[in-house]
Amino acid sequence: MIRLPKLSQLLPFAGAVLAIALPLTMPTRSHSIPAFSRMYNTSCSTCHLDFPKLNDFGKAFKDAGFKFPTDDESMIKNPPVMLGAPAQKELWPHSIWPGKIPGMPPIGLRMNNFFQVTGEHRNEFQFVPAGTTTPSVPTFVPRTNFETGLFSIFTAGNFGSDIAFWVDDDISVTGENGNGGLGDGYLRFVNLGRLLHLPKDSLSLRAGQFEIDLPFSPARSWNLSPWDIFGQTNVGVTGVHNVSNGFTLDTPGQGVEFSGGHHYGGYWYSVAFINQNTTGVTDPGAFVPTVTGNPFQSDSSFKDIYGHFEYRFNLERDKDSRRAIQAAGKMGPRDHTYISVGVFDFYGRSVNRILGATSTGAPTLLTAREPFYRVGGDFSFNYRTFNLFGVWMHGHDHNLIPIDATGAIFPATPVSFIAGAPSTFSGGFLQADYRALPWIMLIMRYDGVNSPEDRINGLAGSTDTPFFAPVMATRNRYTPGVQFLIHANIKASFEYQVRPRQQIAPTAGLLNPVTLNPVFTKPFRVNTAVAGLEFVY
Amino acid sequence: MNRKLMLPVLFVIAATVAVSAGDLGGKVSGVSGKSVVYVDAISGKPFPPADKHPVMDQKSLQFQPHILVVQQGTTVDFLNSDNVQHNVFWPSIGGDKKAGHNLGTWPKGEKKSFKFDHPGVAPLLCNVHPEMAGYIVVSPTPYFAETDESGNYTIKDVPDGQYTVTAWHEGAKPKSQPVKVAAASKSDFTLSK
Ligand SMILES: [Cu+2]
């Protein structure tokens, strides 16, 4: 039997849903590397179209481990410091293998500010829970906000022996003296395959904390608002699902990743094994180990697995040009005309813990290790200054439901779990970028997330900014935008998020005690305008 | 006639027949680093261009040399010595946008040539690396010189006469002034940005 959820049961989920909502109001992390500009004495646009969006050369530079793919040393204007003469290699193992560090600290800084205008229709959403007279959603005061985004420090480079490094840390985020955190911090051993006599660039290893290798990087996104699907959690309906999986694809993982190939043509693959950091809603009892102060967040030896495979076809007619990193045009080098297609799959376990009992009736902590997967496909088509790309994805959580000894589901004192109906969602995005001029990029984007569970959870969570929360089964928006490079390192961005208006269904006989208006259970989604100004140096 | 004797004799004749000439020198001040000084077009007096093709190279994301002075009508060879692709174009020559040209792209080791018939300064750019800058100064006469780092210049063997001489410096307003050359002469410039 399916029970309808009561508000008191939903409240614990409010936190989880707000966690979904918050990233939407926060700026996406994105980076270009002024340190490389300084080291090579070259402009941002050598590697970036509209920072941090990479051009073909930037992709090759990154693939090669933050180096020019060939003749790197002749390009460096600030020579590196040798940590051992190259001839020390001959003495090895009786010497330390010689490496090098960049000649100057490769530090880049980034700062951004935002201005946001939110539509007024928010007040037409007055959710009054059954059996109460008070709206659970307070009246919204229409407002506009200036918002500081983040101040971030980042560094990247190469230590010689094809060992690349990257660290970015947000020193402050959103507001006065707010603390940020470590974004990515990893070492990448490029072209490790040469030790195994594998073809060039067919095997590299990355270790540390990193964003998983998604087809389009949310951390390095050039959009003001994130791609919704990559931030989608899976929180099932209480009483139907026992799924409370806060995992999103855009959170950094800790672990190792094997990869190979090139992003500027041909194949690319990556396989990562990362900590299971998907702990859902835990029982607040003493059984649950605290994560605070504990450097190891994984609560089992199981490692989540992520794989991504992509193939890019360069479509230049001229054979030499087709194989080159950048296509050669009459007017100069440019990005290839290409089409790339890819697939990705994430397989993990989400942990749910609840208080239950042993067969003898003694209280115990029951742990459900919920298998889940996210599977999707992506494509990207580029013609000169026009780029059309998209992702479609499906999410699936197994749903282990607590039962008692008689087999009744969701009992007061569960003893074990059985598999219930899976909790799923799907969605994706389609985006078109057109660089009208080298410093103007027009963006049109569609985001859609279809999660049957979102609506229920959204209502419970809508105590603050429900227009950001996933309040309907289908959450979608059109986001036209435009970005201007004031200089190569200063960008003004604007986007308008249009959320199509949904049908409004007044609940029969229920009036808002304050406004005496009928209470709507199918709320509006309001439009939002966001402007951003950011600079890196 | 004794052939050994012939050359010196011819020289003496040439020297007496030719217009007497002298070095034009001076100093370009107000700016730091190298400048270019050249004698402007002399009406009714065309000069045959040099046969040699000077080279403008692109190496480690830079135009090398940074400034190249050539006589009008000279063909310049553009080289790419980098393993990355470059492009070469100039939006104008001497401010004349009609003289702008895009040479395109070519791989390492190959060269492209262009004959500079339009006098003035061609600012060289690369549309891949916007920080790259080079200059080709096209002098209408063979009488030109680059200054040293402190601004001193000498143009050798300028025939006596009345000319307009132009001084050019990267980023500064070029300046032209009349000069009377009679044997060794002097012309100083003060440029400003
Ligand atoms: Cu270039």
Side-chain angles (χ1 to χ4, degrees):
Chain A
M1 193 193 88
I2 293 173
R3 295 180 304 157
L4 283 172
K6 292 200 186 88
L7 187 72
S8 60
Q9 291 171 311
L10 288 170
L11 278 176
F13 293 92
V17 178
L18 275 183
I20 307 169
L22 271 177
L24 293 173
T25 64
M26 304 227 301
T28 53
R29 294 184 298 122
S30 61
H31 308 274
S32 57
I33 314 291
F36 296 145
S37 259
R38 294 191 183 101
M39 195 192 310
Y40 294 97
N41 215 341
T42 191
S43 172
C44 315
S45 56
T46 298
C47 286
H48 294 280
L49 295 167
D50 174 35
F51 75 88
K53 188 174 185 177
L54 293 172
N55 63 22
D56 281 351
F57 186 80
K59 289 171 186 170
F61 184 87
K62 195 179 172 197
D63 287 352
F66 305 125
K67 272 172 131 177
F68 274 60
T70 43
D71 279 355
D72 181 67
E73 271 160 37
S74 71
M75 299 297 177
I76 294 175
K77 306 297 190 302
N78 290 288
V81 174
M82 302 305 292
L83 304 179
Q88 291 280 357
K89 288 175 188 171
E90 290 166 32
L91 289 175
W92 196 86
H94 301 290
S95 69
I96 300 171
W97 195 262
K100 57 190 176 187
I101 54 173
M104 62 167 93
I107 289 171
L109 301 163
R110 171 174 180 252
M111 170 74 207
N112 54 30
N113 290 288
F114 299 92
F115 181 70
Q116 178 171 292
V117 182
T118 307
E120 286 180 39
H121 294 307
R122 157 67 181 77
N123 279 336
E124 292 175 48
F125 171 31
Q126 291 284 359
F127 175 62
V128 180
T132 70
T133 51
T134 316
S136 70
V137 181
T139 304
F140 173 75
V141 182
R143 59 182 176 245
T144 60
N145 290 326
F146 283 110
E147 186 82 25
T148 47
L150 54 75
F151 179 63
S152 176
I153 184 167
F154 49 104
T155 173
N158 192 293
F159 289 140
S161 307
D162 284 335
I163 301 173
F165 65 97
W166 173 295
V167 182
D168 67 80
D169 195 300
D170 299 337
I171 299 169
S172 314
V173 293
T174 51
E176 281 178 80
N177 303 314
N179 289 324
L182 182 68
D184 284 8
Y186 62 79
L187 277 183
R188 182 162 173 254
F189 300 85
V190 182
N191 197 16
L192 210 58
R194 70 187 188 279
L195 304 175
L196 305 167
H197 304 288
L198 296 172
K200 190 174 183 297
D201 295 337
S202 62
L203 180 67
S204 295
L205 169 69
R206 185 156 72 144
Q209 174 168 307
F210 48 84
E211 178 191 45
I212 59 173
D213 175 41
L214 294 169
F216 307 99
S217 157
R220 256 61 72 182
S221 166
W222 48 97
N223 295 316
L224 281 176
S225 57
W227 291 300
D228 289 341
I229 193 68
F230 289 146
Q232 179 68 15
T233 59
N234 200 358
V235 180
V237 183
T238 308
V240 180
H241 298 115
N242 183 40
V243 171
S244 183
N245 186 355
F247 170 78
T248 59
L249 282 172
D250 59 10
T251 39
Q254 295 98 24
V256 293
E257 177 200 81
F258 299 92
S259 63
H262 297 118
H263 280 103
Y264 58 87
Y267 74 90
W268 170 265
Y269 76 89
S270 72
V271 180
F273 302 90
I274 61 170
N275 271 348
Q276 174 192 314
N277 55 3
T278 52
T279 306
V281 175
T282 56
D283 184 278
F287 295 103
V288 182
T290 172
V291 165
T292 314
N294 184 345
F296 295 99
Q297 295 194 350
S298 179
D299 39 17
S300 82
S301 56
F302 183 82
K303 294 288 163 254
D304 291 353
I305 304 160
Y306 174 77
H308 175 208
F309 180 82
E310 202 168 274
Y311 201 93
R312 178 170 136 167
F313 303 89
N314 287 338
L315 305 174
E316 303 298 322
R317 276 204 200 97
D318 172 50
K319 206 167 145 192
D320 289 340
S321 195
R322 198 161 61 226
R323 289 180 183 159
I325 288 167
Q326 285 172 298
K330 223 178 185 178
M331 304 303 281
R334 54 170 170 79
D335 273 9
H336 282 277
T337 295
Y338 68 80
I339 185 152
S340 72
V341 285
V343 287
F344 58 93
D345 185 24
F346 189 97
Y347 180 81
R349 301 276 174 89
S350 147
V351 176
N352 278 306
R353 318 190 92 172
I354 52 172
L355 271 180
T358 63
S359 53
T360 60
T364 189
L365 190 67
L366 296 177
T367 304
R369 298 193 188 281
E370 277 265 332
F372 71 94
Y373 64 80
R374 309 280 180 262
V375 62
D378 65 275
F379 83 98
S380 179
F381 169 73
N382 189 71
Y383 178 73
R384 304 293 172 102
T385 55
F386 176 77
N387 185 203
L388 178 73
F389 57 97
V391 160
W392 181 86
M393 193 181 106
H394 177 71
H396 179 113
D397 281 57
H398 193 66
N399 186 23
L400 292 172
I401 296 175
I403 52 166
D404 66 11
T406 68
I409 61 168
F410 297 109
T413 312
V415 296
S416 66
F417 300 93
I418 56 158
S423 173
T424 62
F425 67 89
S426 61
F429 61 85
L430 190 65
Q431 179 168 341
D433 291 350
Y434 172 63
R435 277 187 311 130
L437 286 170
W439 57 281
I440 300 178
M441 189 157 91
L442 305 170
I443 298 172
M444 186 64 207
R445 170 171 151 221
Y446 171 77
D447 279 88
V449 179
N450 185 3
S451 169
E453 283 77 38
D454 273 354
R455 177 171 166 255
I456 307 287
N457 298 320
L459 289 177
S462 43
T463 52
D464 185 16
T465 54
F467 40 87
F468 281 131
V471 288
M472 297 294 282
T474 299
R475 178 161 59 109
N476 53 14
R477 62 177 162 122
Y478 296 91
T479 311
V482 62
Q483 306 198 346
F484 305 97
L485 289 176
I486 296 169
H487 289 308
N489 69 326
I490 308 172
K491 187 162 82 167
S493 311
F494 176 80
E495 72 175 37
Y496 191 71
Q497 301 160 21
V498 184
R499 295 176 178 83
R501 189 174 163 163
Q502 304 262 318
Q503 185 197 349
I504 302 162
T507 309
L510 203 57
L511 297 179
N512 183 314
V514 181
T515 64
L516 298 179
N517 288 330
V519 171
F520 300 113
T521 53
K522 282 191 174 179
F524 275 82
R525 273 90 56 78
V526 294
N527 298 346
T528 309
V530 188
L533 194 58
E534 77 169 290
F535 53 95
V536 290
Y537 59 101
Chain B
M1 204 176 182
N2 187 332
R3 293 190 83 186
K4 274 184 186 169
L5 213 68
M6 194 170 88
L7 268 170
V9 169
L10 278 176
F11 261 81
V12 173
I13 296 167
T16 45
V17 168
V19 197
S20 61
D23 291 353
L24 172 65
K27 190 177 164 96
V28 180
S29 50
V31 288
S32 66
K34 284 187 173 181
S35 304
V36 173
V37 180
Y38 60 85
V39 173
D40 274 336
I42 305 162
S43 57
K45 199 169 178 193
F47 297 95
D51 292 337
K52 257 183 86 178
H53 291 193
V55 171
M56 175 57 82
D57 198 358
Q58 289 180 97
K59 212 174 169 193
S60 66
L61 308 188
Q62 285 165 336
F63 283 107
Q64 292 184 8
H66 184 59
I67 299 165
L68 177 68
V69 198
V70 299
Q71 190 194 321
Q72 190 174 350
T74 303
T75 300
V76 176
D77 290 345
F78 289 88
L79 208 63
N80 180 4
S81 296
D82 273 343
N83 245 321
V84 297
Q85 297 198 41
H86 287 295
N87 152 267
V88 182
F89 77 100
W90 49 95
S92 62
I93 298 181
D96 183 355
K97 287 195 174 173
K98 279 181 203 150
H101 187 71
N102 192 323
L103 278 179
T105 317
W106 56 98
K108 185 178 180 173
E110 280 181 30
K111 63 178 183 189
K112 274 200 180 185
S113 302
F114 187 85
K115 191 164 178 251
F116 286 88
D117 282 326
H118 194 297
V121 179
L124 304 181
L125 296 170
C126 165
N127 63 13
V128 201
H129 308 109
E131 76 284 356
M132 288 177 67
Y135 295 93
I136 291 188
V137 182
V138 184
S139 164
T141 63
Y143 311 118
F144 56 79
E146 257 186 276
T147 70
D148 60 16
E149 291 292 332
S150 47
N152 299 306
Y153 76 94
T154 310
I155 305 173
K156 294 262 179 210
D157 299 327
V158 182
D160 289 354
Q162 182 77 37
Y163 305 109
T164 305
V165 180
T166 299
W168 173 90
H169 184 92
E170 178 177 4
K173 286 188 208 93
K175 206 169 190 179
S176 299
Q177 58 194 37
V179 166
K180 193 177 178 194
V181 176
S185 309
K186 208 162 172 284
S187 183
D188 292 340
F189 292 85
T190 304
L191 299 183
S192 61
K193 300 244 166 184

